[in-house]
Amino acid sequence: MAQTKTLAELGLTAQAGRRAEITGVTTDSRAVRRGQLFAALPGTRVHGAAFIPMALEKGAGAILTDADGAALAADALAASDAALIVAEDPRAALAQTASLWFGAHPEVMVAVTGTNGKTSVSTFTRQIWEVLGYVGINLGTTGVEGAWSAPLGHTTPDPVTLHRVLAEAEVAGVTHAAMEASSHGLDQRRLDGVMLHAAGFTNFTQDHLDYHKTFDAYFDAKMTLFTRVLTEDGVAVVNLDDPRGEEVASLCTTRGIEVIGVGRHPDARLRILGQRFDDTGQDLRFSWQDRPHTARLNLIGGFQADNVALACGLAIAAGAIPGDVFATLDQLTTVRGRMQLVARRDNGATVFVDFAHTPDAVRIALQAMKPHVMGRTVVILGAGGDRDASKRPLMGKAAADNADLVIVTDDNPRSERAADIRAAVLAGATGGAEVIEVGDRAEAILRGIDALGPGDALLIAGKGHETGQIVGDTVLPFDDAEQASVAVAALEGRI
Ligand SMILES: CC(=O)N[C@H]1[C@@H](OP(=O)(O)OP(=O)(O)OC[C@H]2O[C@@H](n3ccc(=O)[nH]c3=O)[C@H](O)[C@@H]2O)O[C@H](CO)[C@@H](O)[C@@H]1O[C@H](C)C(=O)N[C@@H](C)C(=O)N[C@H](CCC(=O)O)C(=O)O
Ligand SMILES: Nc1ncnc2c1ncn2[C@@H]1O[C@H](COP(=O)(O)OP(=O)(O)OP(=O)(O)O)[C@@H](O)[C@H]1O
Ligand SMILES: N[C@H](CCC[C@H](N)C(=O)O)C(=O)O
Ligand SMILES: [Mg+2]
């Protein structure tokens, strides 16, 4: 990569015709190095323009901000010869700039949005590509995984991180990438500079109302993947079974975007016709353009077929041959922390770890477990602190409505009082199920596993792949799968 780029090369025009040779791009004043472009973005806590003086002191060569930001830092800017770019939407400008700065990216890119299933769909898409012989990655909540891996702080990283990662992946030989488009990421235009072949929609239910405030705003944020990020020559792959699915499809067709419908819906091009569940997974009957097929899925949970269907649609939309895609399905493996079988008691009872952290996901995960289970279902769940508080009683209700025993525990209380969060979950956990409160998550897991008789199953919900419990600012090591193995070993007298 060239060491410097001109503003024109980055698609930017500075005020008063100033020119600059840019040495890098950052949104964090603390990280500014000499000659870099500092994007001073309006934040949720503070306007980044408050840090323009710091960025200039550190030698920033250019400042990208909005009119408010320019006014806020007017004095510092007047006293500096750094180039000033004032954009109506500085986040959108930053996304394009980051894309031009890093330049390279995998040739084929797809993205998926929806309340639940993004990580699963992007992982299955990458697995399909891998079996087909392509060099693929998925990028999202679980970091970058596949042919090349790297940790990520966000489900949809900020544009600078995103384009750096995409460029590094391309250099590492990655040709195919499937990424998650979170609603925060879409709202903040984190992926506006990404060229997509296809975009997928899983479903729309409650989450993140703390950030978006209303369902409509949350839905609209998700829809910008189809109305703004995906271009007219892209393909949308839409789960038509979701109550909002047809609306998503029609938003796309209005723009002239080709839609591949998936699901049980009669209009689905990839249509799920039947599922038969067993101990280790399911057999799937489906049709593609009305021609029936069958496939073995070694995956627990009916909803995984929906995710797999969407992943097939994305792989096909991005150029793979349908028959080849369907031939890969028996090789798909469990996504870490999503309906993952982590332990089995000597009496045969099973323990699953799942990332269900919304009311709908808790309901769907418990209902999905049932056909694989002969006996009672037990669920352990909590709700995250500093996140949508209105989902807590609804998560409790989803658990009590769909399990025989509910154990309410902690899940990343963050800055909140853990007991208050548990109380909110418990308040909704009314109905037929037995409900108990066990704050300590390790003890909750031990008690849940102890309660399992022959044929029973336990779902440990909420943390999935996570490896820590966030209490205050501290991340305490905690892994549901590891705790479950230890608990089974202890209860079976092996340690
Ligand atoms: C609500 C939200 O998305 N916040 C993100 C946002 O922060 P913010 O707007 O609050 O930033 P701020 O603190 O007000 O600061 C404003 C600006 O000043 C800059 N700054 C700040 C301090 C300083 O000394 N110097 C400086 O330059 C900041 O870099 C920022 O650009 O911009 C920051 C920089 O890009 C992000 O790190 C931060 O993510 C926070 C940490 C976060 O937790 N985000 C979560 C909610 C999130 O994005 N989650 C989604 C969805 C997950 C899911 O689907 O479940 C995700 O994609 O991960
Ligand atoms: N298609 C689906 N429909 C409903 N629920 C699902 C579906 N797929 C997954 N889930 C549930 O949602 C949980 C999270 O799945 P996944 O991690 O794939 O979603 P995500 O959209 O990436 O979540 P996040 O918003 O945290 O990134 C799963 O553990 C499961 O309980
Ligand atoms: N990406 C989600 C993950 C939530 C997982 C759950 N363990 C929690 O902490 O609420 C979020 O940050 O809202
Ligand atoms: Mg995810």
Side-chain angles (χ1 to χ4, degrees):
M1 186 193 305
Q3 291 300 95
T4 63
K5 285 199 162 101
T6 62
L7 290 176
E9 283 173 307
L10 297 176
L12 299 171
T13 310
Q15 292 201 335
R18 276 206 196 155
R19 290 159 195 269
E21 288 280 328
I22 298 303
T23 61
V25 181
T26 181
T27 56
D28 187 344
S29 60
R30 290 159 292 198
V32 169
R33 298 221 204 97
R34 184 151 298 280
Q36 285 189 336
L37 178 141
F38 170 59
L41 305 174
T44 54
R45 283 169 297 206
V46 54
H47 198 301
F51 307 101
I52 289 178
M54 186 203 288
L56 292 173
E57 254 168 55
K58 295 182 118 191
I63 305 290
L64 165 66
T65 190
D66 57 11
D68 288 349
L72 243 163
D75 291 348
L77 286 164
S80 152
D81 52 11
L84 171 66
I85 301 107
V86 180
E88 203 173 311
D89 187 338
R91 289 187 182 277
L94 170 69
Q96 298 302 335
T97 299
S99 147
L100 292 167
W101 172 259
F102 289 101
H105 54 79
E107 195 182 317
V108 175
M109 296 265 329
V110 303
V112 55
T113 197
T115 306
N116 294 305
K118 299 181 294 296
T119 300
S120 306
V121 171
S122 50
T123 306
F124 291 139
T125 308
R126 182 262 298 168
Q127 289 184 4
I128 291 171
W129 282 332
E130 277 182 334
V131 181
L132 292 177
Y134 298 117
V135 186
I137 52 170
N138 58 282
L139 199 152
T141 317
T142 47
V144 185
E145 298 180 312
W148 182 78
S149 59
L152 288 179
H154 283 108
T155 289
T156 304
D158 68 86
V160 180
T161 308
L162 176 60
H163 288 284
R164 179 178 48 74
V165 164
L166 292 176
E168 285 172 9
E170 196 266 353
V171 169
V174 173
T175 55
H176 287 59
M179 68 175 292
E180 292 181 50
S182 71
S183 58
H184 296 78
L186 287 163
D187 186 52
Q188 295 169 20
R189 296 182 167 252
R190 294 180 198 161
L191 69 166
D192 274 29
V194 178
M195 292 290 295
L196 295 174
H197 280 69
F201 170 77
T202 59
N203 47 58
F204 179 75
T205 57
Q206 178 171 349
D207 203 5
H208 302 310
L209 292 183
D210 52 328
Y211 179 86
H212 298 285
K213 310 297 179 211
T214 67
F215 273 89
D216 283 347
Y218 177 38
F219 185 71
D220 291 347
K222 292 215 167 290
M223 284 312 97
T224 60
L225 180 62
F226 304 96
T227 56
R228 193 182 67 225
V229 182
L230 186 66
T231 50
E232 279 81 1
D233 53 356
V235 181
V237 186
V238 178
N239 169 23
L240 294 178
D241 295 345
D242 187 82
R244 308 294 289 264
E246 290 183 36
E247 194 180 336
V248 180
S250 83
L251 272 174
C252 296
T253 37
T254 308
R255 282 190 69 207
I257 289 173
E258 180 190 344
V259 174
I260 297 179
V262 302
R264 291 157 195 80
H265 194 285
D267 295 344
R269 217 190 301 177
L270 199 167
R271 186 170 177 201
I272 296 173
L273 301 171
Q275 285 162 283
R276 190 174 55 199
F277 301 97
D278 56 46
D279 219 26
T280 57
Q282 54 197 288
D283 292 314
L284 181 66
R285 203 168 155 264
F286 63 98
S287 61
W288 168 253
Q289 303 190 145
D290 298 325
R291 252 195 80 198
H293 297 260
T294 55
R296 171 70 192 168
L297 295 181
N298 295 308
L299 303 166
I300 298 290
F303 66 81
Q304 290 295 29
D306 305 37
N307 292 336
V308 167
L310 204 64
C312 288
L314 286 170
I316 293 167
I321 294 164
D324 294 352
V325 170
F326 305 144
T328 68
L329 299 187
D330 62 348
Q331 291 179 63
L332 299 184
T333 55
T334 309
V335 180
R336 191 156 51 98
R338 274 75 179 159
M339 300 303 275
Q340 183 186 355
L341 176 65
V342 293
R344 203 184 272 275
R345 288 206 63 168
D346 289 358
N347 65 14
T350 46
V351 183
F352 294 94
V353 164
D354 187 68
F355 196 44
H357 54 268
T358 69
D360 200 56
V362 170
R363 176 181 66 80
I364 287 189
L366 285 168
Q367 288 175 355
M369 214 168 75
K370 292 237 162 89
H372 302 275
V373 177
M374 282 185 292
R376 296 185 326 145
T377 50
V378 181
V379 61
I380 293 174
L381 88 162
D386 304 336
R387 294 287 184 272
D388 186 354
S390 68
K391 72 179 177 179
R392 294 170 190 168
L394 302 176
M395 288 172 72
K397 173 118 186 68
D401 282 347
N402 293 289
D404 300 290
L405 170 62
V406 179
I407 305 179
V408 176
T409 189
D410 292 343
D411 179 355
N412 296 336
R414 300 191 176 88
S415 74
E416 293 192 58
R417 242 171 60 100
D420 294 346
I421 302 175
R422 290 197 301 274
V425 176
L426 283 162
T430 53
E434 182 188 345
V435 182
I436 58 173
E437 179 182 1
V438 183
D440 181 81
R441 195 168 176 99
E443 193 192 330
I445 291 174
L446 186 72
R447 301 253 310 253
I449 294 177
D450 194 27
L452 297 178
D456 291 349
L458 168 67
L459 184 81
I460 308 174
K463 296 189 84 64
H465 62 283
E466 292 178 0
T467 51
Q469 179 81 301
I470 311 171
V471 183
D473 289 331
T474 313
V475 185
L476 306 167
F478 197 96
D479 182 320
D480 281 349
E482 207 174 275
Q483 290 295 330
S485 304
V486 171
V488 167
L491 288 164
E492 304 299 354
R494 287 194 282 275
I495 50 170

